[in-house]
Each structure stands twice: as C-alpha cells, then as structure tokens.
Amino acid sequence: MTLAKPEQTEYNAFYAGYIAQVPEGDVTAHLKEQLQKTAGLVAGLTEEQALHRYAEDKWSIKEVLGHIADTERVMSYRLLRVARGDTTPLPGFDQDLFIRGTAFDEWPLQRLADELAVVRQATLSLFAGLSPADWLREGSASGYPITARALAYIIAGHELHHLRIIQERYI
C-alpha cells in the first residue's frame, strides 16, 4: 500500500518531525521492516542493558519499548475511529502517566519484544482492511484535525524517533 505522505493540514505540527523521518513508499512494508529492525535491536540487549537510563530522569530502554507499544495502540485506535468515519473528538494522552501506570522494568525483555510484535501485527491487520477512501478520512485528536493516513505515518515515525534515541543515547 503506497500512501503519499500526509499534507501538513492533516495533522498537528507537533507530529511533523515524526512524519518527516518516514521514507516515501509503502508504509506497510516499512512498518514490517521496522518491526524486524526493532526485534534485532532488542535481541542484542541484555536485561541489564535494557534497564539503562542515559540520565536519572529519563526512561529505561524497557520503558521506551513499552512506550512505543502503548503509543502505537493509542494511535491505531485513533486511526480506526477516523478511518471508520467517527468524527467524535478524541482526547490526548499523557505518556508519562502511562509509564507511571506500568512496571515495564519488571517485564522480561523478551516479553516486551513479543508485545511490540503483537501490537504491530494488529496495526498491520487494521491497515490491510482499509480502502483508499478510508485513509483520507479526517477526525480530531487532541484538539487538532488528523487523517487516518497521517496516523499511519505518525506510528512509523514515532518508532523511528525512539530507535534513533536508543542508538544515540543508550547504546
């Protein structure tokens, strides 16, 4: 499925950096490839490395991985609502509250890897059932217009953003 990158009017400017990181082309193929890269990164870590924080007030690698999965779930839910034509304004979410509400550091690293894979498979399954018109539907999230297509790119770009941070600051 080759979706053109969304126009700037299709999303909150906050997400522009995420969307810009996603290469042109088939976003589904990119998400599948990304899953393999993330799995490879996780497979190369020890439990001790995955608990590393590059600063005292920063999340551990495990928490970053859990955050990626949580955010993909939220964005996929938004995408589902928008793609189905639901124009009910969707609220934002507090990523720090989500992290405080979990114990990702206590999860075995393999469980986090499995979680990411399951979430990604659910996202890809959702994408497979959408028509070209579904991708262009618009809704509202966090008080801003958003399209299903923009949400797909945000999912991909969000993970790229955090993988880059892991590689630059943690490993």
Short mmCIF file of all heavy atoms in Angstrom, two decimals, residues 51-100:
data_model
loop_
_atom_site.label_atom_id
_atom_site.label_comp_id
_atom_site.label_asym_id
_atom_site.label_seq_id
_atom_site.Cartn_x
_atom_site.Cartn_y
_atom_site.Cartn_z
N LEU A 51 17.73 -2.00 31.17
CA LEU A 51 17.34 -1.18 32.31
C LEU A 51 18.10 0.15 32.36
O LEU A 51 17.83 1.00 33.21
CB LEU A 51 17.55 -1.94 33.62
CG LEU A 51 16.60 -3.11 33.85
CD1 LEU A 51 17.05 -3.95 35.04
CD2 LEU A 51 15.17 -2.61 34.04
N HIS A 52 19.03 0.33 31.44
CA HIS A 52 19.87 1.53 31.41
C HIS A 52 19.04 2.79 31.13
O HIS A 52 18.14 2.79 30.32
CB HIS A 52 20.95 1.39 30.33
CG HIS A 52 21.77 2.62 30.14
ND1 HIS A 52 22.65 3.08 31.08
CD2 HIS A 52 21.83 3.50 29.11
CE1 HIS A 52 23.21 4.19 30.65
NE2 HIS A 52 22.72 4.47 29.44
N ARG A 53 19.40 3.86 31.84
CA ARG A 53 18.85 5.19 31.62
C ARG A 53 20.03 6.10 31.33
O ARG A 53 21.00 6.09 32.08
CB ARG A 53 18.12 5.69 32.87
CG ARG A 53 16.96 4.83 33.28
CD ARG A 53 16.46 5.21 34.69
NE ARG A 53 15.53 4.21 35.18
CZ ARG A 53 14.23 4.23 34.95
NH1 ARG A 53 13.70 5.22 34.27
NH2 ARG A 53 13.45 3.27 35.40
N TYR A 54 19.96 6.90 30.31
CA TYR A 54 21.10 7.76 29.99
C TYR A 54 21.17 8.99 30.89
O TYR A 54 22.17 9.69 30.92
CB TYR A 54 21.14 8.14 28.50
CG TYR A 54 20.07 9.10 28.02
CD1 TYR A 54 20.24 10.47 28.10
CD2 TYR A 54 18.89 8.61 27.47
CE1 TYR A 54 19.27 11.34 27.65
CE2 TYR A 54 17.91 9.48 27.02
CZ TYR A 54 18.10 10.84 27.11
OH TYR A 54 17.15 11.70 26.66
N ALA A 55 20.11 9.24 31.63
CA ALA A 55 20.09 10.29 32.66
C ALA A 55 19.09 9.85 33.73
O ALA A 55 18.18 9.05 33.46
CB ALA A 55 19.70 11.63 32.06
N GLU A 56 19.26 10.39 34.91
CA GLU A 56 18.44 9.96 36.04
C GLU A 56 16.94 10.11 35.80
O GLU A 56 16.14 9.27 36.20
CB GLU A 56 18.84 10.77 37.29
CG GLU A 56 18.17 10.29 38.56
CD GLU A 56 18.66 11.05 39.77
OE1 GLU A 56 19.87 11.30 39.88
OE2 GLU A 56 17.81 11.38 40.61
N ASP A 57 16.54 11.18 35.13
CA ASP A 57 15.12 11.46 34.93
C ASP A 57 14.57 10.92 33.61
O ASP A 57 13.46 11.27 33.22
CB ASP A 57 14.87 12.96 35.02
CG ASP A 57 15.60 13.75 33.94
OD1 ASP A 57 16.62 13.25 33.41
OD2 ASP A 57 15.15 14.87 33.61
N LYS A 58 15.32 10.07 32.94
CA LYS A 58 14.89 9.51 31.65
C LYS A 58 14.41 8.08 31.82
O LYS A 58 14.76 7.39 32.77
CB LYS A 58 16.04 9.56 30.63
CG LYS A 58 16.50 10.98 30.32
CD LYS A 58 15.38 11.81 29.73
CE LYS A 58 15.81 13.21 29.40
NZ LYS A 58 14.72 14.03 28.90
N TRP A 59 13.61 7.64 30.85
CA TRP A 59 13.10 6.28 30.88
C TRP A 59 14.21 5.29 30.59
O TRP A 59 15.18 5.60 29.90
CB TRP A 59 12.02 6.11 29.81
CG TRP A 59 10.80 6.94 30.00
CD1 TRP A 59 10.34 7.53 31.15
CD2 TRP A 59 9.86 7.29 28.98
NE1 TRP A 59 9.17 8.20 30.91
CE2 TRP A 59 8.85 8.07 29.59
CE3 TRP A 59 9.75 7.00 27.63
CZ2 TRP A 59 7.77 8.57 28.89
CZ3 TRP A 59 8.67 7.50 26.93
CH2 TRP A 59 7.69 8.27 27.55
N SER A 60 14.04 4.07 31.08
CA SER A 60 14.94 2.97 30.72
C SER A 60 14.61 2.53 29.29
O SER A 60 13.56 2.90 28.74
CB SER A 60 14.74 1.78 31.67
OG SER A 60 13.46 1.20 31.44
N ILE A 61 15.47 1.73 28.71
CA ILE A 61 15.19 1.18 27.37
C ILE A 61 13.90 0.37 27.42
O ILE A 61 13.07 0.46 26.51
CB ILE A 61 16.37 0.35 26.84
CG1 ILE A 61 17.57 1.24 26.57
CG2 ILE A 61 15.97 -0.42 25.58
CD1 ILE A 61 18.84 0.50 26.16
N LYS A 62 13.70 -0.40 28.48
CA LYS A 62 12.46 -1.17 28.60
C LYS A 62 11.25 -0.25 28.59
O LYS A 62 10.24 -0.54 27.94
CB LYS A 62 12.46 -2.03 29.87
CG LYS A 62 13.32 -3.27 29.79
CD LYS A 62 13.15 -4.09 31.05
CE LYS A 62 13.86 -5.43 30.94
NZ LYS A 62 13.56 -6.29 32.10
N GLU A 63 11.34 0.85 29.31
CA GLU A 63 10.22 1.79 29.33
C GLU A 63 10.00 2.44 27.97
O GLU A 63 8.86 2.66 27.56
CB GLU A 63 10.44 2.85 30.41
CG GLU A 63 10.29 2.29 31.80
CD GLU A 63 10.67 3.26 32.90
OE1 GLU A 63 11.61 4.06 32.71
OE2 GLU A 63 10.01 3.21 33.96
N VAL A 64 11.08 2.72 27.25
CA VAL A 64 10.94 3.28 25.90
C VAL A 64 10.23 2.27 25.00
O VAL A 64 9.32 2.63 24.25
CB VAL A 64 12.31 3.68 25.31
CG1 VAL A 64 12.18 4.04 23.84
CG2 VAL A 64 12.93 4.83 26.09
N LEU A 65 10.61 1.01 25.09
CA LEU A 65 9.97 -0.02 24.28
C LEU A 65 8.48 -0.16 24.63
O LEU A 65 7.63 -0.27 23.75
CB LEU A 65 10.69 -1.36 24.43
CG LEU A 65 12.13 -1.39 23.92
CD1 LEU A 65 12.81 -2.69 24.32
CD2 LEU A 65 12.20 -1.17 22.42
N GLY A 66 8.18 -0.14 25.92
CA GLY A 66 6.78 -0.18 26.34
C GLY A 66 6.01 1.05 25.86
O GLY A 66 4.86 0.94 25.43
N HIS A 67 6.67 2.19 25.90
CA HIS A 67 6.06 3.43 25.41
C HIS A 67 5.76 3.35 23.91
O HIS A 67 4.69 3.79 23.47
CB HIS A 67 6.99 4.61 25.70
CG HIS A 67 6.65 5.85 24.95
ND1 HIS A 67 5.55 6.61 25.23
CD2 HIS A 67 7.29 6.45 23.91
CE1 HIS A 67 5.51 7.64 24.39
NE2 HIS A 67 6.56 7.57 23.58
N ILE A 68 6.67 2.78 23.15
CA ILE A 68 6.43 2.61 21.71
C ILE A 68 5.17 1.77 21.49
O ILE A 68 4.31 2.12 20.67
CB ILE A 68 7.65 1.98 21.00
CG1 ILE A 68 8.83 2.96 21.00
CG2 ILE A 68 7.30 1.56 19.58
CD1 ILE A 68 10.16 2.34 20.57
N ALA A 69 5.05 0.67 22.22
CA ALA A 69 3.87 -0.20 22.07
C ALA A 69 2.59 0.52 22.51
O ALA A 69 1.58 0.47 21.81
CB ALA A 69 4.06 -1.49 22.87
N ASP A 70 2.63 1.19 23.65
CA ASP A 70 1.45 1.91 24.13
C ASP A 70 1.02 2.99 23.14
O ASP A 70 -0.17 3.14 22.84
CB ASP A 70 1.74 2.59 25.48
CG ASP A 70 1.63 1.67 26.66
OD1 ASP A 70 1.24 0.50 26.51
OD2 ASP A 70 1.95 2.14 27.79
N THR A 71 1.98 3.74 22.64
CA THR A 71 1.65 4.82 21.71
C THR A 71 1.08 4.26 20.41
O THR A 71 0.13 4.83 19.86
CB THR A 71 2.89 5.69 21.45
OG1 THR A 71 3.33 6.24 22.69
CG2 THR A 71 2.58 6.82 20.47
N GLU A 72 1.64 3.16 19.93
CA GLU A 72 1.09 2.56 18.71
C GLU A 72 -0.35 2.11 18.94
O GLU A 72 -1.20 2.28 18.06
CB GLU A 72 1.94 1.39 18.23
CG GLU A 72 1.45 0.83 16.92
CD GLU A 72 2.48 0.00 16.18
OE1 GLU A 72 3.69 0.18 16.37
OE2 GLU A 72 2.04 -0.86 15.38
N ARG A 73 -0.63 1.58 20.10
CA ARG A 73 -2.02 1.19 20.41
C ARG A 73 -2.95 2.40 20.38
O ARG A 73 -4.04 2.35 19.82
CB ARG A 73 -2.10 0.55 21.80
CG ARG A 73 -1.76 -0.89 21.84
CD ARG A 73 -2.14 -1.48 23.20
NE ARG A 73 -2.00 -2.90 23.17
CZ ARG A 73 -0.98 -3.56 23.72
NH1 ARG A 73 -0.02 -2.92 24.34
NH2 ARG A 73 -0.93 -4.87 23.65
N VAL A 74 -2.53 3.48 21.01
CA VAL A 74 -3.35 4.70 21.04
C VAL A 74 -3.55 5.23 19.63
O VAL A 74 -4.67 5.56 19.22
CB VAL A 74 -2.71 5.77 21.96
CG1 VAL A 74 -3.40 7.12 21.79
CG2 VAL A 74 -2.74 5.33 23.42
N MET A 75 -2.47 5.31 18.86
CA MET A 75 -2.57 5.86 17.50
C MET A 75 -3.38 4.93 16.59
O MET A 75 -4.14 5.41 15.73
CB MET A 75 -1.19 6.11 16.92
CG MET A 75 -0.39 7.17 17.65
SD MET A 75 -1.23 8.77 17.66
CE MET A 75 -0.24 9.66 18.83
N SER A 76 -3.26 3.64 16.76
CA SER A 76 -4.05 2.70 15.96
C SER A 76 -5.54 2.81 16.30
O SER A 76 -6.39 2.72 15.41
CB SER A 76 -3.58 1.26 16.19
OG SER A 76 -2.32 1.07 15.63
N TYR A 77 -5.85 2.99 17.57
CA TYR A 77 -7.24 3.20 17.97
C TYR A 77 -7.78 4.47 17.33
O TYR A 77 -8.89 4.48 16.78
CB TYR A 77 -7.35 3.27 19.50
CG TYR A 77 -8.73 3.65 19.98
CD1 TYR A 77 -9.78 2.75 19.87
CD2 TYR A 77 -8.97 4.91 20.52
CE1 TYR A 77 -11.05 3.10 20.31
CE2 TYR A 77 -10.23 5.26 20.95
CZ TYR A 77 -11.27 4.35 20.85
OH TYR A 77 -12.53 4.70 21.27
N ARG A 78 -6.99 5.53 17.38
CA ARG A 78 -7.41 6.77 16.73
C ARG A 78 -7.62 6.54 15.23
O ARG A 78 -8.59 7.00 14.65
CB ARG A 78 -6.36 7.86 16.94
CG ARG A 78 -6.28 8.38 18.35
CD ARG A 78 -5.14 9.37 18.51
NE ARG A 78 -5.15 9.95 19.84
CZ ARG A 78 -4.26 10.83 20.26
NH1 ARG A 78 -3.28 11.23 19.46
NH2 ARG A 78 -4.32 11.32 21.49
N LEU A 79 -6.68 5.83 14.61
CA LEU A 79 -6.78 5.54 13.18
C LEU A 79 -8.05 4.77 12.87
O LEU A 79 -8.76 5.08 11.91
CB LEU A 79 -5.54 4.78 12.73
CG LEU A 79 -5.33 4.65 11.23
CD1 LEU A 79 -3.83 4.54 10.93
CD2 LEU A 79 -6.05 3.48 10.64
N LEU A 80 -8.37 3.78 13.68
CA LEU A 80 -9.60 3.00 13.49
C LEU A 80 -10.82 3.91 13.54
O LEU A 80 -11.69 3.85 12.67
CB LEU A 80 -9.70 1.92 14.57
CG LEU A 80 -11.03 1.15 14.63
CD1 LEU A 80 -11.23 0.30 13.38
CD2 LEU A 80 -11.08 0.29 15.89
N ARG A 81 -10.90 4.74 14.55
CA ARG A 81 -12.05 5.63 14.71
C ARG A 81 -12.17 6.57 13.51
O ARG A 81 -13.25 6.73 12.95
CB ARG A 81 -11.93 6.45 16.00
CG ARG A 81 -11.90 5.65 17.29
CD ARG A 81 -13.25 5.39 17.89
NE ARG A 81 -14.06 6.55 18.11
CZ ARG A 81 -14.21 7.18 19.28
NH1 ARG A 81 -13.56 6.75 20.36
NH2 ARG A 81 -15.00 8.22 19.38
N VAL A 82 -11.06 7.18 13.12
CA VAL A 82 -11.08 8.12 11.99
C VAL A 82 -11.42 7.40 10.69
O VAL A 82 -12.28 7.86 9.92
CB VAL A 82 -9.73 8.87 11.89
CG1 VAL A 82 -9.63 9.67 10.61
CG2 VAL A 82 -9.52 9.77 13.11
N ALA A 83 -10.77 6.27 10.43
CA ALA A 83 -11.00 5.53 9.18
C ALA A 83 -12.43 5.05 9.06
O ALA A 83 -12.95 4.93 7.94
CB ALA A 83 -10.04 4.35 9.08
N ARG A 84 -13.09 4.79 10.16
CA ARG A 84 -14.48 4.34 10.12
C ARG A 84 -15.47 5.50 10.02
O ARG A 84 -16.68 5.30 10.00
CB ARG A 84 -14.80 3.50 11.36
CG ARG A 84 -14.00 2.22 11.48
CD ARG A 84 -14.37 1.21 10.40
NE ARG A 84 -13.81 -0.09 10.70
CZ ARG A 84 -12.76 -0.64 10.08
NH1 ARG A 84 -12.17 0.03 9.10
NH2 ARG A 84 -12.32 -1.83 10.41
N GLY A 85 -14.95 6.72 10.00
CA GLY A 85 -15.81 7.88 9.83
C GLY A 85 -16.31 8.49 11.12
O GLY A 85 -17.18 9.36 11.11
N ASP A 86 -15.75 8.08 12.25
CA ASP A 86 -16.16 8.63 13.55
C ASP A 86 -15.47 9.98 13.73
O ASP A 86 -14.25 10.07 13.76
CB ASP A 86 -15.74 7.66 14.66
CG ASP A 86 -16.23 8.09 16.03
OD1 ASP A 86 -16.70 9.24 16.19
OD2 ASP A 86 -16.14 7.27 16.96
N THR A 87 -16.26 11.03 13.84
CA THR A 87 -15.70 12.38 13.99
C THR A 87 -15.76 12.88 15.43
O THR A 87 -15.51 14.06 15.68
CB THR A 87 -16.43 13.37 13.05
OG1 THR A 87 -17.82 13.35 13.37
CG2 THR A 87 -16.21 13.01 11.59
N THR A 88 -16.04 11.99 16.37
CA THR A 88 -16.02 12.37 17.77
C THR A 88 -14.62 12.84 18.13
O THR A 88 -13.64 12.13 17.85
CB THR A 88 -16.37 11.16 18.66
OG1 THR A 88 -17.64 10.64 18.27
CG2 THR A 88 -16.40 11.54 20.14
N PRO A 89 -14.47 14.02 18.72
CA PRO A 89 -13.13 14.48 19.11
C PRO A 89 -12.48 13.49 20.09
O PRO A 89 -13.10 13.10 21.08
CB PRO A 89 -13.37 15.84 19.78
CG PRO A 89 -14.69 16.29 19.22
CD PRO A 89 -15.49 15.02 19.01
N LEU A 90 -11.27 13.10 19.78
CA LEU A 90 -10.54 12.14 20.61
C LEU A 90 -9.57 12.89 21.52
O LEU A 90 -8.87 13.80 21.08
CB LEU A 90 -9.78 11.15 19.72
CG LEU A 90 -10.68 10.34 18.78
CD1 LEU A 90 -9.85 9.58 17.76
CD2 LEU A 90 -11.55 9.41 19.58
N PRO A 91 -9.51 12.49 22.79
CA PRO A 91 -8.63 13.20 23.72
C PRO A 91 -7.17 12.85 23.50
O PRO A 91 -6.83 11.85 22.87
CB PRO A 91 -9.10 12.69 25.09
CG PRO A 91 -9.61 11.32 24.80
CD PRO A 91 -10.23 11.39 23.43
N GLY A 92 -6.30 13.67 24.07
CA GLY A 92 -4.88 13.36 24.08
C GLY A 92 -4.61 12.28 25.11
O GLY A 92 -5.53 11.77 25.76
N PHE A 93 -3.33 11.93 25.25
CA PHE A 93 -2.97 11.01 26.32
C PHE A 93 -1.65 11.46 26.91
O PHE A 93 -0.82 12.05 26.23
CB PHE A 93 -2.95 9.55 25.85
CG PHE A 93 -1.72 9.12 25.10
CD1 PHE A 93 -0.75 8.35 25.74
CD2 PHE A 93 -1.53 9.46 23.77
CE1 PHE A 93 0.38 7.94 25.06
CE2 PHE A 93 -0.41 9.05 23.09
CZ PHE A 93 0.55 8.29 23.73
N ASP A 94 -1.47 11.18 28.18
CA ASP A 94 -0.28 11.60 28.91
C ASP A 94 0.70 10.44 28.94
O ASP A 94 0.50 9.47 29.69
CB ASP A 94 -0.69 12.02 30.32
CG ASP A 94 0.47 12.52 31.16
OD1 ASP A 94 1.64 12.20 30.86
OD2 ASP A 94 0.19 13.22 32.16
N GLN A 95 1.74 10.52 28.14
CA GLN A 95 2.71 9.42 28.05
C GLN A 95 3.40 9.15 29.38
O GLN A 95 3.70 8.00 29.70
CB GLN A 95 3.74 9.71 26.96
CG GLN A 95 4.61 10.92 27.24
CD GLN A 95 5.57 11.23 26.11
OE1 GLN A 95 5.45 10.73 25.01
NE2 GLN A 95 6.54 12.07 26.40
N ASP A 96 3.63 10.17 30.16
CA ASP A 96 4.28 9.96 31.46
C ASP A 96 3.34 9.24 32.43
O ASP A 96 3.79 8.39 33.20
CB ASP A 96 4.76 11.29 32.04
CG ASP A 96 5.87 11.90 31.19
OD1 ASP A 96 6.80 11.16 30.81
OD2 ASP A 96 5.80 13.11 30.90
N LEU A 97 2.07 9.56 32.39
CA LEU A 97 1.09 8.84 33.20
C LEU A 97 1.06 7.36 32.81
O LEU A 97 1.01 6.49 33.68
CB LEU A 97 -0.30 9.47 33.00
CG LEU A 97 -1.46 8.77 33.72
CD1 LEU A 97 -1.37 8.99 35.22
CD2 LEU A 97 -2.77 9.28 33.17
N PHE A 98 1.10 7.10 31.51
CA PHE A 98 1.11 5.70 31.05
C PHE A 98 2.33 4.96 31.61
O PHE A 98 2.22 3.82 32.05
CB PHE A 98 1.11 5.65 29.52
CG PHE A 98 -0.25 5.70 28.88
CD1 PHE A 98 -1.24 6.57 29.30
CD2 PHE A 98 -0.53 4.87 27.82
CE1 PHE A 98 -2.48 6.62 28.70
CE2 PHE A 98 -1.78 4.90 27.20
CZ PHE A 98 -2.76 5.77 27.65
N ILE A 99 3.49 5.59 31.58
CA ILE A 99 4.71 4.93 32.08
C ILE A 99 4.60 4.71 33.59
O ILE A 99 4.94 3.64 34.10
CB ILE A 99 5.97 5.75 31.73
CG1 ILE A 99 6.23 5.71 30.22
CG2 ILE A 99 7.20 5.24 32.51
CD1 ILE A 99 6.53 4.34 29.64
N ARG A 100 4.11 5.72 34.30
CA ARG A 100 3.96 5.56 35.76
C ARG A 100 2.94 4.47 36.09
O ARG A 100 3.01 3.86 37.16
CB ARG A 100 3.53 6.89 36.39
CG ARG A 100 4.64 7.90 36.49
CD ARG A 100 4.27 9.09 37.39
NE ARG A 100 3.04 9.76 37.02
CZ ARG A 100 2.94 10.77 36.14
NH1 ARG A 100 4.02 11.20 35.52
NH2 ARG A 100 1.77 11.33 35.90
#
